[in-house]
Each structure stands twice: as C-alpha cells, then as structure tokens.
Amino acid sequence: MSRFSRFSGLLLAASLPFGALAELPEERIEPSINAELAEHTKHFTQKLYKVADNVYSAVGWQLGNVAMIEAPEGLIIVDTGESVSESRKIMAEFRKISDKPVKAIVYTHFHPDHINGVKAFVSEEQVKRGEVQIYAQETLLDNVVTQGALVGPILGLRSAYTFGAALPASDNEGMNGGIGPLAKVEGSTFIAPTITFKDKLDTTIAGLPVQFLHAPSEAPDEIVLFLPNNRVLISAEVDQGPTLPNIHTLRGTKFRDPVLWVNSLDKLRAFQADHMVPLHGQPVSGKDKVEEVLRMTRDGIAYIHDQTVRWMNKGLTPDELVEKVKLPPHLAGYTPYLREYYGTVKHSVRQIYQGYLGWFQGDPVALDPIAPQEKAKRLIEMMGGHDKVLLAAGEAYLKGDYQWAAELASYAISLDNDDKLAREIKARSFRKLGYASMNINWRNWYLMSAMELEGKLDGDAALQMTKGIREAFLSPDMLKNLPVKVFLQNWVTRIDPEKSADVNLTLGFVFPDIGEEWALEVRRGVVQLHQGIPAGTSLKLTFDKIYLDTVISGENSLLKGALLGDVKVDGSLLDIKTFLGCFDFEDAPIALTVR
C-alpha cells in the first residue's frame, strides 16, 4: 500500500478512532522549482556586459547589478550591491578593464541591495578627503536611517521570509531571486552621500557629462542617469528588470503609487536612449528595443492600476478584484519583463485597493468582527468538531486542494498552536504550493512558513535570523548616521501604557558636541518628543552624540553611562530609572504563521 493510500485510509475511514490521526504517515516532499522559474535562473549567469563604449554592467554576482562608467578622468560606480565580499569580486573584474581611480559613487535608491557594498569600491577616508563624491536624491539618507528604526523588528522578520533567509541549500539549488541571483546578505557597509539633489541635476563627473533625474517608482528616492554622449540610460529599478515589477512588496512597505511609476517610465521613454542598463537583469540595446521594454512595462503597470480602479468603482472588493483583474495575453506573455517572477497581479491589486480606500470594504460586519480564536471555535463546532475539520483538511490535501487544506487546518491551529496534525497538514500544503509557484516571493513565504509550522524556526532561531537581516537595513555604518531625532522618535512607539499609566515625567537630552537639545515627555501612556527642553524640566542627561552611537549599537546603555560617569545626570536617578522603565525595548519572538 502506498503512503498516499495509507494517508487516505486514515483520513477517510470514519470508523477509525481519532487517535489514529495523531500522526500522518511519512511522506517525503522532494524540493523542486517551477520549470519556468528554473529556466529564468539562466538570465542571471555571471557576466560583465559592455554597453556602448564606456559602460559596464556586472550581472549575476548579487541580487542587484553594479554598473561602471569609465569617464575621461576616472570611474563612476552606479550602485554597490548588497555584499562587500561579492562587490570586491566585481571590482576585481572592473580592474581588468581600467586602472583609473574611482571618482564617484551613485546610489540610485536606498534599498540594501544597492548601497551596502560601497566599501568594496571606496573608503570613508577617500570620501572625507574629497577624492570621491557620492551622489543621491536628497531624501535617501533619511530613508536609510529610518527604514530599520521605526518598524525594524517586524520588517526584519518579514524580510527574512521574503528572501527565504533560513531555507536549506536543497530548497535553493538552481533558484534565483526573480530580479537577480539569490541575495547575499553579508558585510553591510554605508557611507553617506556628499552631493544630493531634489528633481534633476545636470553635471560633469570626472570629465563626463551626466544627467540625473528623480524618478519615483519602486522607491520614493529612485534616480536614473542619462549619458548624452552615447545615449545610455541607467534606469535603476524604474524598469525593475526581467519580471513584472513588484508594485507591492510582501515584506511590507509604504504605498508604491502606480501612477507615479507610470509617469516615471514615460519620462525615461522621453530620453529615446540607444541603450538601457537596468540595475537588475541584462542590459537592453537598440532604440526600438529600449522603447518597447519601457512601453510594455509601463502598459503592464498601467493596466493593473486602471482595471483595479475601474472595478473598484463598480463596488468590487479585493477578494473579487483579484479574480477579475488579469493581464491580457499580449502583456502577460511578454517574457521576461511582465512574467510574475517577482511581482504578481494579485498582490498588486490588493495594494492598489488599500492605497485608495483603506482596509474597510464597505460591509459593516467587518467593523467589529468576532476575534479570530472565537471565530475559529464557533466554525469548528458548526462543522462538526475538530476531528471532522481535520478529516476535511486531509481529504482536501489528498485531492491536491492545498489552499483549502491550509485554510481548514488554520482554524485548528488558531485554537491550539501545538496541534501537531493541523500544523503538518498546513506545512505540507505550503510546501506543495511553494514548490509549484513561479513567483519567488510567494515561494519563499510558503516554504519559510512551512518551516515555522514544522518547528524549525523556534523563538531563538527566528530572533537570530531577524537580527542578521536587520543589520542589512541598519548596519553599524548606518547607525553612525542616525540623527538624534530619529533615535528618540523611536521611543514614542515603544511606550508601555501599563508601566507608564501613572507617570508624568519629562527627560531632557543635551548633546554638547553637536549643539542639540531634545526632550521626551511621558504623560500617562503617551509620549511627546520636544525639540529643545521645556522650561522647568528638572531631569536631564548630558552626553555626546558619539556615546549615543554606542547606546544605539547596544555596546552601552544610558543607566550604565550614568553610573560610570559617561552621562551627566541632573535630577533624581530614581526618577530617571522610573522614566526609562516606561518603555518596552525587548525584541520578543514573533510568529507569523502559527498564531
């Protein structure tokens, strides 16, 4: 008898006692990759592409490409990859072409895979001496220092699931990251920009004319470069490369406005470039081909947006919209640029609805719904009890109805997080769905969630994994650029209302080395940040920003500094201890799937 047959017998024989269902028969689900997704990996074969006379694009070393422009007086490096070690390999390839000094670095936007490898190309000392300039849009530094500060704990964990941070080698063999090879998050570095601009900048760098344009799209600070001498457009992620663009990212981000993105693509079309160098995927050459890729990408995003809004205006809700809005064949089949390797129509549609109308869909039943656990309890009772629900889940699994099997198992898990059989049914369902998925984001989420259900991502393991990912978003080099305001603003969302229920205290912070003064006022569960210290404030801490950097990095604490004399204290130490005790800075394990 096959394993499947034994499983079927256990699940469907109503006469068997439920104890027989305590464990599922052993089943080995072999790792696999969707055939088209596996073929897509070839797009990222390691290669240094030469574009026109003086532009080179390093594809296949990292998730993001690194481009080099050879100017008369030196080199311009556009984006620096996510890993110093891999970027050093790229620099070694560049050095086979030119021994000219690096004169400029360009950050096209703030995402880690475009900025974290900077020290493979230049040192802080070179930048401080003015030998190298770093160009970026004016909001990039703010975006860098805040992306991991406000929602760092949850963003770190969700990013780990998005990138499949804990997946074993067997699940990653032959895989790609949709927009590049698998990401390599190691050795994160950062050097702050030295030259920034708002909308556009026409300049000369190392003897070469360069036109910069702000083109908000995949990131709010996205910029592109146009080289008029040979009509090369470095398109950053306005053209996201060989995939349907990720109009929404599952790890979580602010609203990516499709209308702005379409407008930016039209601005790129206006350059009428002969060559285009995206910072994911291979370069595109020929004026007609560049126009085709940009136009089709633009039309794909526009279609998803416009049809979502069209049907929203007819009253459809997100669950209905995802069944209604589908790309027509000429767009859906435009390979590889509109294939769903990275973005998908379905999760884009949901973001567009949320961006315009928010979470409320119009049925007041959603205004004050029954709590999830209570809802699960009532539904399970209505369906005949726990055993029948899991029998139905198992039957759905055997029929290949994996989504329904996972949904049914979720009710049982909601009531009992330790329900071994429910977790196994859901985990197996997710593995089946994940291995079949052509989209790398969906695949990684399915497989990471399966690991969580299987108990392979316990609390400590998840915290350690998240810590590593968070460093990519907020590395020690980035921490040095964290303004005092951003650090203190983070306290506002860390207030514990129970511990501060009866507390009314204001603590001033004085930073003599940078000439700044701030204060945090606790008012019974609410915190207000003040620029400057309100009159009458008796509690003050005075210390240099340099010491604050060690507090941010975890090397020191304010109480430790006060006791050792590194922090000057005005007022009662007991009151300061009471004040500091009002906040919750503990990073607790987070369950995304088992809840």
Side-chain angles (χ1 to χ4, degrees):
M1 182 183 292
S2 71
R3 288 174 182 164
F4 267 5
S5 297
R6 288 189 291 125
F7 185 15
S8 178
L10 284 173
L11 288 172
L12 302 181
S15 61
L16 284 176
F18 186 69
L21 295 179
E23 291 186 6
L24 296 181
E26 182 183 348
E27 176 193 5
R28 180 173 179 80
I29 303 175
E30 295 289 348
S32 61
I33 306 174
N34 172 281
E36 185 176 340
L37 181 59
E39 182 69 18
H40 190 54
T41 299
K42 295 177 183 177
H43 191 93
F44 308 111
T45 300
Q46 255 181 36
K47 183 176 178 180
L48 189 61
Y49 291 86
K50 182 177 182 179
V51 182
D53 299 322
N54 64 335
V55 180
Y56 300 84
S57 181
V59 176
W61 277 266
Q62 304 182 74
L63 185 66
N65 300 341
V66 177
M68 180 184 77
I69 304 167
E70 187 175 15
E73 299 164 13
L75 304 179
I76 304 167
I77 303 296
V78 184
D79 282 355
T80 63
E82 71 264 17
S83 161
V84 169
S85 59
E86 291 301 310
S87 289
R88 287 188 179 126
K89 296 176 186 176
I90 292 172
M91 188 58 179
E93 294 297 317
F94 289 162
R95 281 297 175 219
K96 295 176 184 177
I97 295 165
S98 175
D99 60 0
K100 291 180 180 179
V102 175
K103 289 293 186 179
I105 299 286
V106 178
Y107 296 145
T108 62
H109 58 293
F110 74 99
H111 292 159
D113 53 322
H114 298 264
I115 64 174
N116 282 10
V118 63
K119 288 188 178 178
F121 303 98
V122 296
S123 67
E124 280 187 283
E125 291 71 26
Q126 287 176 293
V127 175
K128 287 177 181 176
R129 290 194 300 263
E131 297 171 12
V132 179
Q133 300 295 337
I134 299 181
Y135 291 79
Q137 204 271 339
E138 65 180 14
T139 63
L140 179 134
L141 184 57
D142 286 342
N143 292 331
V144 166
V145 298
T146 59
Q147 68 179 338
L150 184 62
V151 291
I154 187 63
L155 179 63
L157 181 60
R158 290 171 65 102
S159 296
Y161 275 55
T162 290
F163 296 115
L167 295 182
S170 57
D171 279 342
N172 283 329
E173 187 176 347
M175 267 294 295
N176 63 79
I179 52 176
L182 297 176
K184 302 174 179 67
V185 183
E186 52 188 43
S188 300
T189 60
F190 182 69
I191 305 174
T194 58
I195 298 176
T196 64
F197 65 96
K198 183 178 182 181
D199 296 319
K200 61 185 300 186
L201 174 66
D202 291 352
T203 188
T204 299
I205 303 174
L208 184 73
V210 179
Q211 298 174 7
F212 291 99
L213 177 69
H214 180 212
S217 46
E218 185 261 357
D221 54 4
E222 201 97 31
I223 60 173
V224 300
L225 295 77
F226 184 65
L227 310 179
N229 284 7
N230 51 12
R231 307 198 62 76
V232 172
L233 172 66
I234 299 181
S235 57
E237 280 195 73
V238 184
D239 172 75
Q240 203 169 26
T243 180
L244 179 72
N246 213 21
I247 299 172
H248 173 71
T249 172
L250 298 180
R251 69 179 180 271
T253 190
K254 293 182 178 179
F255 181 59
R256 292 179 173 178
D257 189 336
V259 174
L260 285 180
W261 201 329
V262 166
N263 289 342
S264 291
L265 282 161
D266 284 340
K267 289 178 182 178
L268 267 58
R269 293 171 67 198
F271 282 112
Q272 296 186 327
D274 290 336
H275 307 274
M276 181 170 70
V277 182
L279 289 166
H280 290 289
Q282 299 173 8
V284 179
S285 285
K287 184 180 294 185
D288 290 345
K289 186 62 177 178
V290 171
E291 159 61 16
E292 176 189 292
V293 172
L294 289 173
R295 184 184 68 251
M296 294 293 281
T297 302
R298 172 240 189 267
D299 286 356
I301 296 174
Y303 186 95
I304 295 168
H305 170 270
D306 297 348
Q307 292 306 307
T308 299
V309 172
R310 174 190 171 212
W311 289 105
M312 279 167 49
N313 283 325
K314 295 179 184 292
L316 271 64
T317 63
D319 287 345
E320 296 165 331
L321 287 167
V322 295
E323 300 302 323
K324 178 66 73 171
V325 179
K326 301 179 188 299
L327 288 175
H330 77 283
L331 293 175
Y334 187 59
T335 304
Y337 299 98
L338 291 178
R339 301 296 291 159
E340 295 180 290
Y341 306 120
Y342 200 62
T344 73
V345 176
K346 286 189 173 182
H347 71 247
S348 299
V349 164
R350 293 182 185 279
Q351 187 223 218
I352 293 166
Y353 183 98
Q354 182 89 1
Y356 282 116
L357 295 182
W359 64 268
F360 181 53
Q361 299 178 16
D363 185 344
V365 74
L367 294 177
D368 190 18
I370 294 169
Q373 284 191 337
E374 178 62 22
K375 179 181 178 181
K377 178 182 176 183
R378 295 187 190 185
L379 286 173
I380 286 174
E381 288 176 355
M382 186 178 68
M383 288 187 280
H386 173 273
D387 295 9
K388 284 192 174 181
V389 171
L390 285 194
L391 284 168
E395 185 176 14
Y397 177 83
L398 290 171
K399 292 179 177 177
D401 194 355
Y402 303 123
Q403 178 64 31
W404 184 230
E407 289 188 25
L408 288 173
S410 295
Y411 291 124
I413 295 169
S414 181
L415 286 188
D416 178 6
N417 287 175
D418 296 322
D419 190 319
K420 183 178 178 181
L421 180 57
R423 287 175 63 154
E424 190 167 353
I425 291 172
K426 189 171 180 178
R428 290 190 187 186
S429 297
F430 278 176
R431 288 200 173 277
K432 296 284 191 179
L433 290 168
Y435 291 138
S437 177
M438 190 176 81
N439 182 272
I440 68 102
N441 288 295
W442 288 34
R443 184 182 196 270
N444 288 341
W445 273 89
Y446 281 132
L447 297 183
M448 289 287 291
S449 291
M451 290 182 68
E452 182 184 330
L453 288 156
E454 293 159 353
K456 297 173 182 175
L457 291 178
D458 60 24
D460 290 339
L463 280 175
Q464 206 57 32
M465 174 184 68
T466 303
K467 182 181 178 183
I469 295 293
R470 284 183 68 183
E471 189 165 305
F473 288 99
L474 201 61
S475 68
D477 280 343
M478 294 172 187
L479 287 171
K480 292 187 294 187
N481 292 279
L482 196 67
V484 170
K485 179 181 179 181
V486 172
F487 171 70
L488 293 177
Q489 186 69 46
N490 193 37
W491 291 46
V492 172
T493 57
R494 295 282 192 159
I495 189 71
D496 186 323
E498 293 181 3
K499 293 177 181 178
S500 59
D502 298 316
V503 177
N504 284 285
L505 285 172
T506 301
L507 178 60
F509 295 84
V510 181
F511 302 93
D513 58 335
I514 59 173
E516 291 187 19
E517 293 187 354
W518 297 85
L520 286 168
E521 180 183 357
V522 173
R523 293 193 303 270
R524 302 183 64 186
V526 176
V527 184
Q528 182 176 351
L529 176 63
H530 298 275
Q531 185 169 6
I533 299 175
T537 301
S538 59
L539 297 180
K540 294 179 186 176
L541 299 178
T542 301
F543 52 100
D544 286 342
K545 171 66 164 59
I546 294 173
Y547 185 80
L548 176 63
D549 292 341
T550 68
V551 173
I552 295 171
S553 67
E555 299 170 49
N556 287 303
S557 70
L558 295 180
L559 274 179
K560 177 183 174 183
L563 293 172
L564 296 178
D566 294 315
V567 176
K568 179 188 172 187
V569 177
D570 290 328
S572 164
L573 259 179
L574 185 60
D575 284 346
I576 290 175
K577 184 178 179 183
T578 298
F579 181 94
L580 296 177
C582 292
F583 297 88
D584 175 15
F585 285 103
E586 181 181 358
D587 282 342
I590 302 171
L592 294 178
T593 306
V594 181
R595 53 188 310 118

